[in-house]
């Protein structure tokens, strides 16, 4: 015998059916709490819980005084778009391939745990992937992922799909933070990227959020002579057309 869903789960399912069925698309305003109470015959407390959990899971965005809106599953960062290395290489006419060097659950070291607002030693998914363009090493991706955001991550084949593509598909990324700096390649990174130890590299530290939770923290390393970072900026006060 199948037990009926709790009322708040029924409200969540009603809203998600509308989003997944195309009745609501990214940016659309959802019915107000009062409208959902009347339409579904549930309490305001039940609707509030449903909307809160959908917000925490990153499916909707709630704006004070304005209402609830469908989240955009593919976000854009301030300094650069969140793009897959595969797409970047394709734009240059290069064929992407990847070597998965690590894909496992690991306790987070102190500095990584701090990025997640967690305690050192808590478990997260860890992956290390070397991305190649026309068989030349182009990007070393070292990433930690919140297991609650992508519970099936360890079962994925990242030689056929990039981690970025997978995460964009399963987790609505609403916000990102990029820290860009110049670094010298250490012995491990130099060997993997097939460059001399101490060679200049571009390092991007990227933290992303799904809803109100940190989804992943990645260290992306590029040989300095094989990669450039570009960004578009609008004049101060210009309308945002993205």
């Amino acid at each position: 015998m199948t037990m009926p869903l709790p009322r708040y789960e029924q409200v969540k399912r009603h809203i998600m059916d509308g989003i997944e069925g195309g009745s609501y698309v990214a940016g659309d305003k959802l019915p107000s709490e009062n409208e959902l109470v009347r339409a579904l015959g549930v309490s305001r407390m039940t609707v509030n819980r449903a909307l809160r959990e959908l917000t925490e899971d990153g499916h909707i965005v709630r704006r004070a005084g304005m209402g609830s809106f469908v989240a955009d599953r593919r976000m854009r960062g301030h300094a650069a778009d969140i793009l897959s290395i595969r797409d970047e290489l394709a734009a240059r006419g290069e064929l992407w391939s990847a070597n998965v060097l690590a894909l496992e659950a690991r306790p987070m070291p102190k500095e990584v745990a701090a990025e997640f607002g967690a305690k050192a030693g808590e478990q997260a998914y860890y992956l290390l992937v070397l991305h190649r363009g026309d068989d030349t090493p182009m990007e070393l991706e070292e990433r930690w992922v919140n297991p609650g955001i992508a519970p099936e991550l360890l079962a994925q084949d990242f030689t056929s799909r990039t981690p970025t593509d997978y995460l964009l598909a399963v987790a609505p990324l609403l916000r990102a933070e990029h820290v860009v700096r110049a670094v010298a390649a250490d012995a491990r990174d130099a060997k993997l990227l097939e460059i001399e130890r101490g060679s200049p590299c571009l390092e991007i530290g990227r933290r992303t959020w799904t809803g109100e939770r940190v989804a992943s923290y990645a260290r992306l390393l590029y040989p300095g002579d094989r990669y450039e970072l570009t960004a578009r900026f609008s004049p101060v006060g210009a309308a945002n057309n993205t």
Side-chain angles (χ1 to χ4, degrees), residues 98-120:
N99 302 109
V100 178
L101 307 173
L103 181 60
E104 60 192 17
R106 283 190 186 181
M108 290 184 285
K110 182 178 179 179
E111 62 274 13
V112 172
E115 300 288 348
F116 284 86
K119 295 180 180 179

Side-chain angles (χ1 to χ4, degrees), residues 48-231:
N48 187 270
R49 177 174 178 178
L51 294 176
R52 183 177 71 249
E53 291 193 4
L54 288 171
T55 301
E56 290 172 353
D57 290 339
H59 296 294
I60 69 173
V61 178
R62 303 178 79 183
R63 297 175 181 148
M66 297 178 64
S68 300
F69 299 81
V70 180
D72 189 345
R73 296 188 68 87
R74 182 174 286 267
M75 53 78 63
R76 301 173 72 89
H78 289 294
D81 295 346
I82 302 296
L83 294 177
S84 164
I85 184 66
R86 184 174 192 163
D87 293 338
E88 292 187 61
L89 291 170
R92 291 166 39 152
E94 298 180 25
L95 181 65
W96 168 83
S97 62
N99 302 109
V100 178
L101 307 173
L103 181 60
E104 60 192 17
R106 283 190 186 181
M108 290 184 285
K110 182 178 179 179
E111 62 274 13
V112 172
E115 300 288 348
F116 284 86
K119 295 180 180 179
E122 288 189 28
Q123 291 281 315
Y125 292 155
Y126 173 82
L127 58 90
L128 182 65
V129 181
L130 179 65
H131 300 277
R132 297 174 176 270
D134 288 346
D135 208 34
T136 298
M138 292 297 300
E139 176 190 272
L140 183 61
E141 175 180 4
E142 189 166 21
R143 186 186 293 269
W144 295 82
V145 179
N146 184 336
I149 296 296
E152 303 299 321
L153 182 131
L154 297 184
Q156 304 309 307
D157 176 10
F158 291 122
T159 64
S160 62
R161 187 183 197 184
T162 68
T164 296
D165 283 334
Y166 174 70
L167 289 170
L168 285 172
V170 303
L173 303 182
L174 302 182
R175 184 159 56 101
E177 173 187 84
H178 290 166
V179 178
V180 182
R181 62 183 184 136
V183 299
D186 62 20
R188 184 203 70 167
D189 295 342
K191 181 178 180 179
L192 293 174
L193 290 169
E194 299 177 13
I195 56 179
E196 295 293 327
R197 181 175 181 176
S199 296
C201 293
L202 177 69
E203 179 187 88
I204 299 178
R206 176 183 293 163
R207 184 165 51 153
T208 59
W209 282 259
T210 290
E212 299 175 357
R213 295 179 291 176
V214 176
S216 74
Y217 173 71
R219 173 180 177 261
L220 310 174
L221 190 69
Y222 308 87
D225 62 349
R226 300 177 194 165
Y227 189 83
E228 65 180 19
L229 179 67
T230 61

Side-chain angles (χ1 to χ4, degrees), residues 33-45:
E33 289 190 13
N34 288 335
E35 288 171 331
L36 289 169
V37 166
R38 290 195 296 269
L40 302 178
V42 296
S43 70
R44 189 181 184 91
M45 183 180 298

